[in-house]
Each structure stands twice: as structure tokens, then as C-alpha cells.
Amino acid sequence: RLYDAEHDRAQQLQRGLLPQIVPPLPALTAAARYQPASGQAEVGGDWYDTIPLSAGRIALVIGDVMGHGLSEAITMGRLRASVATIAGMDYPPNELLAHINDVASGFEDDRYATCLYAIYDSTTGTCSMASAGHPPPAVVYPDGSVWYPNISPGLPLGVAQQPYENTDFELPDGSMLIFYTDGLLESRDGDM
């Protein structure tokens, strides 16, 4: 019973740290689905967010703290809050990740996280993104074709001080930009 009670508290903490609703945004329609891992290791450090910026721009972020457990959920909350705070300073994606890497490097425990941060500019239809070891998004065009941007992944947050690279591309009206964590691609039976 003690394990079940602790597990329930950890799940409530993790769900409480994730956005409860995806806010309506003027330039795009956002949707999110969080599906925890199966089995006993349901609590982890996956997070996502949409952050309205100035001049019709929107920040889109997804991250994954490596491991499962209460500590990873707490680290996720700290990183999510840091991203939301630093995003308001209008840094380009590569610079934002460098600042978040500084934050993650300062954590007293050795927690590493992947993160994909993008800025969509609705006035130009362009997207700029950078990755800290996170899988690239899928871009689904209005005709149904799918493209995976060639993004330089960089090292995960908290591993080392390093520069991150921006990747810029156009997103035609009616396109879908799909972010996901490696849990969608991995299985216990094989490698990604």
C-alpha cells in the first residue's frame, strides 16, 4: 500500500507539472497527448509546452529527462519552468538551449534531458528550431507527404557546454509539425 500511495503521489506531481490544457493560439492549432510508459515505471520526465511570444511568434517545446521516477518528474518541472522564463527573453532557439544547458548543468544531481525548441513565425510562415539530443519533428505537408528536417541534434542538456545549431525552414499553411519523445520510437526489444 505504501508503494501504491507513493506511486500515486508521483503520478499526480508529474501530471500537475504538465500543461492542463493547450491554450488557444492565434496563429496555429495545438494539440497534445501524454501517454505514460507502461508497467511500474510510469512516472518520468517528459514535458511539452506552447509559449506565445511577441510579433505573432509561438515557441513550441518538448523535452525528455532521462530515466523514470520522482526525481525525473521534479527535474522536468524545473526545466519546463526555466524554458518558459527564458523564452520570454526572445532568444533564438540555439541560444535558448545554451541557457537551459547552463541551468541543467547547475543541478546538483546528474540528470540529463533532451529538448527540441522551435519558434514558429506566423507572419512569415517560417520555423526555426534547435535540438539538444532530441529526435527531429515530423512535418506533414497539406498533400500528405512527410519530411523530417535534418537537425543537428547537439548533446543533451546537462552533459557539456557546447553550441547548438539552428535549423530554419518554411511551413506552408495547412502543414502539421509533430513533436514526440523517443518513447514513441523505442521498445524494450530493440534499439531506436
Side-chain angles (χ1 to χ4, degrees):
R1 284 189 276 170
L2 288 175
Y3 170 80
D4 289 342
E6 182 66 25
H7 184 69
D8 288 344
R9 282 193 292 274
Q11 281 186 317
Q12 289 174 4
L13 171 66
Q14 182 184 26
R15 290 201 187 277
L17 292 172
L18 290 172
Q20 301 305 304
I21 59 167
V22 178
L25 301 164
L28 59 84
T29 302
R33 180 164 193 260
Y34 175 73
Q35 181 65 40
S38 61
Q40 293 182 346
E42 291 182 1
V43 178
D46 297 352
W47 88 92
Y48 55 88
D49 223 337
T50 55
I51 305 165
L53 303 173
S54 63
R57 296 172 308 124
I58 298 162
L60 307 163
V61 64
I62 189 166
D64 182 4
V65 177
M66 295 174 193
H68 294 281
L70 188 56
S71 295
E72 287 78 4
I74 292 168
T75 300
M76 174 267 289
R78 293 170 74 184
L79 288 172
R80 181 173 176 245
S82 297
V83 169
T85 300
I86 296 173
M89 296 178 192
D90 275 341
Y91 289 115
N94 61 332
E95 290 182 31
L96 177 127
L97 286 181
H99 287 292
I100 297 301
N101 187 46
D102 291 342
V103 170
S105 296
F107 291 167
E108 54 280 349
D109 50 4
D110 289 334
R111 300 272 176 239
Y112 305 116
T114 64
C115 184
L116 180 65
Y117 182 82
I119 296 177
Y120 172 67
D121 188 334
S122 63
T123 59
T124 63
T126 58
C127 189
S128 180
M129 65 178 55
S131 173
H134 203 83
V139 178
V140 181
Y141 291 112
D143 67 2
S145 62
V146 179
W147 173 63
Y148 293 88
N150 187 15
I151 297 174
S152 176
L155 293 173
L157 301 171
V159 172
Q161 299 299 325
Q162 60 148 355
Y164 294 98
E165 294 180 29
N166 282 339
T167 300
D168 301 324
F169 55 91
E170 289 188 27
L171 267 178
D173 282 345
S175 298
M176 286 191 292
L177 185 60
I178 302 171
F179 287 23
Y180 51 90
T181 61
D182 61 0
L184 182 67
L185 307 173
E186 290 179 334
S187 73
R188 292 177 191 243
D189 303 330
D191 215 1
M192 223 166 53

